[in-house]
Amino acid sequence: MKKQSIETSVGIFFLIGLICVGYLTIKLGKMELLGDNTYTVKAKFKSVSGLKQGSQVEMAGVKIGTIDNVYLDKDDRALVKLKINKDIILTDDVIASIKTSGLIGDKYISISPGGSDTILKSGDTITETQSAIDIEELISKYVFGKV
């Protein structure tokens, strides 16, 4: 009888451990288990050098979403798919800029709010964008005297 109670308690302990590992896997992997509380908008840039999938999207220094995908469209322009939190409302005149955290840090997208009354829906495109400043190009212009 005592052996059976020990085996039962070990089984329960193992099951609780398995549930905890599953929970941590979902949370640390940033997966959504029950629905997605984001919507998707796109932004077209001339250049997105250094921008990666999973990077942050910020407004006024606060994270409001992540970069879902970066790819080329049919016009050979970089198209960035952004996942924005549903509680954030973006208008059609927002400006999406590629910024760098620090001098040589990671790239992220900063969104400057607009004043329009027209709200972007899921799947819409941000038309006003600013590509990243290419520091290497600026340095080479300065070195070779083309400034």
Side-chain angles (χ1 to χ4, degrees):
M1 191 69 166
K2 188 149 176 110
K3 185 177 180 183
Q4 187 179 12
S5 66
I6 291 174
E7 289 176 354
T8 303
S9 61
V10 168
I12 291 172
F13 181 74
F14 180 75
L15 187 62
I16 291 172
L18 211 58
I19 291 170
C20 289
V21 167
Y23 174 77
L24 287 174
T25 302
I26 290 171
K27 281 300 183 184
L28 293 177
K30 295 184 171 81
M31 293 172 39
E32 294 291 331
L33 189 60
L34 300 172
D36 198 11
N37 60 346
T38 61
Y39 65 97
T40 304
V41 293
K42 295 176 266 184
K44 286 186 179 184
F45 292 93
K46 290 180 184 175
S47 172
V48 291
S49 60
L51 199 62
K52 296 182 279 191
Q53 180 178 354
S55 296
Q56 292 189 8
V57 178
E58 295 183 359
M59 180 183 283
V62 178
K63 180 182 175 186
I64 62 166
T66 57
I67 296 173
D68 186 36
N69 200 357
V70 179
Y71 55 95
L72 282 176
D73 68 352
K74 61 182 180 227
D75 301 326
D76 290 333
R77 291 181 53 130
L79 192 62
V80 180
K81 202 174 188 183
L82 310 172
K83 289 174 76 173
I84 306 294
N85 297 339
K86 283 200 181 208
D87 57 340
I88 304 298
I89 297 172
L90 298 178
T91 57
D92 65 344
D93 62 344
V94 297
I95 300 171
S97 308
I98 299 175
K99 304 283 185 181
T100 305
S101 58
L103 188 58
I104 54 172
D106 290 334
K107 303 268 184 172
Y108 67 95
I109 292 185
S110 176
I111 294 185
S112 302
S116 175
D117 292 333
T118 308
I119 296 173
L120 288 176
K121 298 175 190 73
S122 185
D124 286 348
T125 303
I126 297 173
T127 55
E128 298 292 326
T129 59
Q130 292 179 336
S131 296
I133 297 172
D134 191 3
I135 294 176
E136 292 174 357
E137 183 181 336
L138 288 175
I139 292 172
S140 67
K141 283 182 179 179
Y142 179 74
V143 169
F144 296 115
K146 295 181 182 177
V147 177

Short mmCIF file of all heavy atoms in Angstrom, two decimals, residues 56-65 85 88 108-111:
data_model
loop_
_atom_site.label_atom_id
_atom_site.label_comp_id
_atom_site.label_asym_id
_atom_site.label_seq_id
_atom_site.Cartn_x
_atom_site.Cartn_y
_atom_site.Cartn_z
N GLN A 56 11.51 45.03 -32.46
CA GLN A 56 10.41 45.77 -31.85
C GLN A 56 9.86 46.85 -32.77
O GLN A 56 10.55 47.39 -33.62
CB GLN A 56 10.88 46.43 -30.56
CG GLN A 56 11.19 45.46 -29.46
CD GLN A 56 11.43 46.16 -28.14
OE1 GLN A 56 11.23 47.35 -28.01
NE2 GLN A 56 11.85 45.41 -27.15
N VAL A 57 8.59 47.17 -32.53
CA VAL A 57 7.94 48.33 -33.11
C VAL A 57 7.57 49.22 -31.93
O VAL A 57 6.91 48.76 -30.99
CB VAL A 57 6.68 47.94 -33.91
CG1 VAL A 57 6.00 49.18 -34.46
CG2 VAL A 57 7.02 46.98 -35.03
N GLU A 58 8.02 50.47 -31.96
CA GLU A 58 7.81 51.37 -30.82
C GLU A 58 7.09 52.64 -31.25
O GLU A 58 7.21 53.08 -32.39
CB GLU A 58 9.15 51.77 -30.19
CG GLU A 58 9.90 50.63 -29.56
CD GLU A 58 11.18 51.07 -28.88
OE1 GLU A 58 11.51 52.28 -28.93
OE2 GLU A 58 11.87 50.21 -28.32
N MET A 59 6.36 53.20 -30.30
CA MET A 59 5.76 54.52 -30.47
C MET A 59 6.02 55.28 -29.18
O MET A 59 5.67 54.80 -28.10
CB MET A 59 4.25 54.42 -30.74
CG MET A 59 3.58 55.77 -30.93
SD MET A 59 1.80 55.65 -31.17
CE MET A 59 1.71 55.13 -32.84
N ALA A 60 6.68 56.42 -29.28
CA ALA A 60 7.04 57.24 -28.13
C ALA A 60 7.88 56.45 -27.13
O ALA A 60 7.77 56.63 -25.92
CB ALA A 60 5.80 57.81 -27.45
N GLY A 61 8.72 55.53 -27.62
CA GLY A 61 9.60 54.76 -26.77
C GLY A 61 8.97 53.56 -26.10
O GLY A 61 9.61 52.86 -25.32
N VAL A 62 7.68 53.29 -26.41
CA VAL A 62 6.96 52.17 -25.80
C VAL A 62 6.73 51.11 -26.86
O VAL A 62 6.29 51.41 -27.97
CB VAL A 62 5.61 52.65 -25.22
CG1 VAL A 62 4.83 51.49 -24.63
CG2 VAL A 62 5.83 53.73 -24.18
N LYS A 63 7.00 49.85 -26.50
CA LYS A 63 6.81 48.75 -27.44
C LYS A 63 5.32 48.57 -27.71
O LYS A 63 4.53 48.39 -26.79
CB LYS A 63 7.40 47.46 -26.89
CG LYS A 63 7.23 46.29 -27.82
CD LYS A 63 7.78 45.01 -27.23
CE LYS A 63 7.46 43.86 -28.16
NZ LYS A 63 7.81 42.57 -27.62
N ILE A 64 4.94 48.62 -29.00
CA ILE A 64 3.54 48.43 -29.37
C ILE A 64 3.35 47.24 -30.30
O ILE A 64 2.23 46.94 -30.70
CB ILE A 64 2.96 49.70 -30.04
CG1 ILE A 64 3.70 50.02 -31.34
CG2 ILE A 64 2.96 50.87 -29.08
CD1 ILE A 64 2.98 51.02 -32.21
N GLY A 65 4.44 46.55 -30.63
CA GLY A 65 4.32 45.40 -31.52
C GLY A 65 5.68 44.85 -31.91
O GLY A 65 6.71 45.23 -31.34
N ASN A 85 -0.25 45.63 -31.42
CA ASN A 85 -1.22 45.28 -30.37
C ASN A 85 -2.58 45.89 -30.70
O ASN A 85 -2.67 47.02 -31.16
CB ASN A 85 -0.75 45.79 -29.01
CG ASN A 85 0.56 45.15 -28.58
OD1 ASN A 85 0.93 44.09 -29.07
ND2 ASN A 85 1.25 45.80 -27.68
N ILE A 88 -3.74 49.47 -29.67
CA ILE A 88 -3.09 50.63 -30.29
C ILE A 88 -3.83 50.96 -31.58
O ILE A 88 -4.00 50.11 -32.45
CB ILE A 88 -1.60 50.34 -30.58
CG1 ILE A 88 -0.86 49.91 -29.32
CG2 ILE A 88 -0.95 51.54 -31.24
CD1 ILE A 88 -0.83 50.95 -28.23
N TYR A 108 15.16 48.88 -35.14
CA TYR A 108 13.75 48.71 -34.80
C TYR A 108 12.95 49.75 -35.58
O TYR A 108 13.52 50.63 -36.21
CB TYR A 108 13.53 48.85 -33.30
CG TYR A 108 13.79 50.24 -32.75
CD1 TYR A 108 12.75 51.15 -32.60
CD2 TYR A 108 15.07 50.63 -32.39
CE1 TYR A 108 12.99 52.42 -32.09
CE2 TYR A 108 15.31 51.90 -31.89
CZ TYR A 108 14.27 52.78 -31.74
OH TYR A 108 14.50 54.05 -31.25
N ILE A 109 11.65 49.63 -35.56
CA ILE A 109 10.80 50.60 -36.25
C ILE A 109 10.13 51.50 -35.22
O ILE A 109 9.54 51.02 -34.25
CB ILE A 109 9.74 49.89 -37.11
CG1 ILE A 109 10.43 49.20 -38.27
CG2 ILE A 109 8.69 50.88 -37.62
CD1 ILE A 109 9.53 48.56 -39.27
N SER A 110 10.26 52.79 -35.44
CA SER A 110 9.62 53.79 -34.60
C SER A 110 8.47 54.40 -35.39
O SER A 110 8.65 54.82 -36.53
CB SER A 110 10.64 54.86 -34.21
OG SER A 110 10.00 55.88 -33.47
N ILE A 111 7.31 54.46 -34.76
CA ILE A 111 6.13 55.01 -35.42
C ILE A 111 5.79 56.34 -34.78
O ILE A 111 5.63 56.44 -33.57
CB ILE A 111 4.95 54.03 -35.34
CG1 ILE A 111 5.29 52.78 -36.15
CG2 ILE A 111 3.67 54.69 -35.85
CD1 ILE A 111 4.20 51.78 -36.27
#
